[in-house]
Amino acid sequence: MRNTRRALADFAEGPQSTDSPLYGAMTRAIMKSETLMRMVEKTPENQPVPLHLLAALQYLIGRTPEHALTGFYVEPEHRGSLDELQEAMEQFATSHQDEIELLLATRTVQTNETGRAGALVPGFCLIYERTRLPLATIEIGAAAGLLMGWPDFFYDYGNAGQLGSSSSLVKLQTEVRGPRTLPLPSDLPPYAERIGIDRSPLAVSDPDDADWLRALVWPEHPGRLERLNFAIETVANDPPYILQADAPDGLDSLLMQIDGATTRVIFHSIALYQSDRETWTRIDEVLLAASRSRPVFRLGLEFDAGQKGIDQPFLTLSVYERGGISKEVLAQVQYHGRWIEWLVG
């Protein structure tokens, strides 16, 4: 059972509050307000507090530019006091209560953060180095499939190297931290297929879906928003196939369809929290069964629930082979893909 007030306090006191001072202040305003607390309590159990409500507010602010709350978004240097912010939020939430509750009931936090591709790609490169077969990737929790466009992006890792076409609209800069060298080849690995699976996929061609994706970008992150818009444009030119299904139910058939002369790679990023333990156990069972014919690789960028005090996710490579599984932690990564620290080698 979620402790909503604890979740709010964790956000307000954590690195996210520094990363987005406005969201930190809005979270503190929610905690002071009975009206806003009643509203945030309507967040579904599998959705993050307070980001789900904050995304709903930002989505509606984009459609209500004349409201006083809008000024807190567009003029960060003139935000006023916490009491003024709380008052503006309460007024907006009260006047848009039905719309907010509808968004909380029908939308989910599907932050299709393309910056995370900068963390996933070194993992894809490592898998290809081991198998030397083109990658057939399946993304769990694909949302609009923006991360599935990873072969079309340009990657800049500073002194560690660059990958992809410099003419790409989507250019990712990922800082390499730590004492170990990030092992990069001279080019991106070849791929054979890009498939997604999501219980509620989004379509970049749908203006409402695209606006929801934009609402999930934090207010002080114009670079992320620009990159998102470029990714939407890039993926719209060649929309990926996304199967609408729960992952355990759809994975088996997708894996069976993949050509034998490829490497099967399942990947996901910041998706574990949206499903219960039983769902991920069933996914493991599907992958273990599929591995009896040939290996399946799984690349996950997720927070480690077993380590308290860890506020950034880890990139983990799991190899399913002959009905068994081995795991290796490859890197720690900033949750939006801003930096990577390689941990092996």
Side-chain angles (χ1 to χ4, degrees):
M1 188 72 177
R2 179 181 63 217
N3 184 326
T4 300
R5 188 165 287 277
R6 180 69 260 169
L8 290 166
D10 287 345
F11 188 94
E13 298 164 8
Q16 301 95 329
S17 185
T18 302
D19 214 5
S20 176
L22 176 58
Y23 273 6
M26 292 178 79
T27 301
R28 290 188 287 275
I30 292 170
M31 296 174 71
K32 289 179 58 185
S33 166
E34 291 184 9
T35 299
L36 297 172
M37 281 298 297
R38 284 195 298 270
M39 191 156 287
V40 80
E41 289 284 6
K42 296 182 182 294
T43 303
E45 195 69 28
N46 67 339
Q47 293 302 300
V49 171
L51 289 176
H52 199 201
L53 175 60
L54 295 176
L57 292 174
Q58 184 163 218
Y59 177 87
L60 293 171
I61 280 291
R63 288 159 164 71
T64 321
E66 71 281 359
H67 196 277
L69 184 58
T70 306
F72 289 85
Y73 289 84
V74 299
E75 297 184 84
E77 68 278 12
H78 299 115
R79 281 184 180 149
S81 69
L82 184 61
D83 288 341
E84 290 171 325
L85 174 60
Q86 178 183 335
E87 181 180 0
M89 289 177 67
E90 287 176 340
Q91 290 175 351
F92 188 86
T94 300
S95 60
H96 294 81
Q97 181 174 342
D98 290 345
E99 296 161 277
I100 292 170
E101 291 182 359
L102 180 62
L103 286 170
L104 293 179
T106 59
R107 293 286 187 178
T108 58
V109 175
Q110 294 169 286
T111 309
N112 231 177
E113 177 51 60
T114 53
R116 293 172 185 154
L120 292 165
V121 157
F124 291 146
C125 292
L126 180 63
I127 294 169
Y128 177 68
E129 179 186 319
R130 293 181 180 179
T131 68
R132 308 309 294 181
L133 292 172
L135 307 185
T137 59
I138 301 175
E139 182 182 11
I140 296 175
L146 301 187
L147 275 174
M148 293 163 63
W150 65 268
D152 302 320
F153 303 161
F154 176 72
Y155 302 87
D156 185 351
Y157 297 96
N159 293 334
Q162 298 176 335
L163 296 172
S165 171
S166 60
S167 63
S168 172
L169 289 175
V170 183
K171 294 178 170 61
L172 306 178
Q173 288 188 313
T174 306
E175 176 191 354
V176 179
R177 293 186 174 183
R180 292 182 174 85
T181 301
L182 183 67
L184 293 176
S186 59
D187 205 352
L188 291 170
Y191 70 94
E193 292 192 65
R194 292 180 284 180
I195 305 168
I197 185 168
D198 198 296
R199 65 168 66 97
S200 302
L202 303 177
V204 293
S205 58
D206 183 320
D208 287 338
D209 282 357
D211 282 347
W212 178 249
L213 288 170
R214 295 183 183 102
L216 292 166
V217 177
W218 299 0
E220 296 93 341
H221 296 187
R224 288 179 59 210
L225 183 60
E226 180 182 51
R227 193 168 61 219
L228 171 68
N229 287 326
F230 281 141
I232 288 173
E233 182 179 344
T234 299
V235 171
N237 291 328
D238 184 19
Y241 171 65
I242 303 176
L243 174 67
Q244 183 170 6
D246 282 334
D249 300 325
L251 267 179
D252 188 42
S253 61
L254 291 177
L255 287 165
M256 294 290 288
Q257 295 170 25
I258 292 176
D259 189 282
T262 63
T263 299
R264 299 181 294 180
V265 181
I266 311 300
F267 75 95
H268 49 87
S269 60
I270 321 299
L272 281 176
Y273 74 92
Q274 299 236 16
S275 297
D276 57 26
R277 185 182 298 274
E278 179 186 353
T279 298
W280 289 97
T281 298
R282 289 173 59 207
I283 289 172
D284 262 338
E285 291 170 352
V286 170
L287 299 182
L288 286 167
S291 75
R292 292 190 173 92
S293 59
R294 59 192 178 97
V296 182
F297 294 80
R298 173 176 161 188
L299 198 60
L301 178 60
E302 302 289 349
F303 290 95
D304 188 341
Q307 295 191 37
K308 294 184 178 180
I310 302 296
D311 55 20
Q312 302 294 349
F314 289 92
L315 182 69
T316 302
L317 175 61
S318 303
V319 182
Y320 299 77
E321 190 168 15
R322 298 188 181 93
I325 180 174
S326 62
K327 294 186 179 183
E328 184 178 14
V329 178
L330 301 181
Q332 189 169 25
V333 180
Q334 195 272 341
Y335 46 72
H336 290 144
R338 199 172 297 145
W339 54 259
I340 182 170
E341 181 176 354
W342 198 251
L343 300 176
V344 295

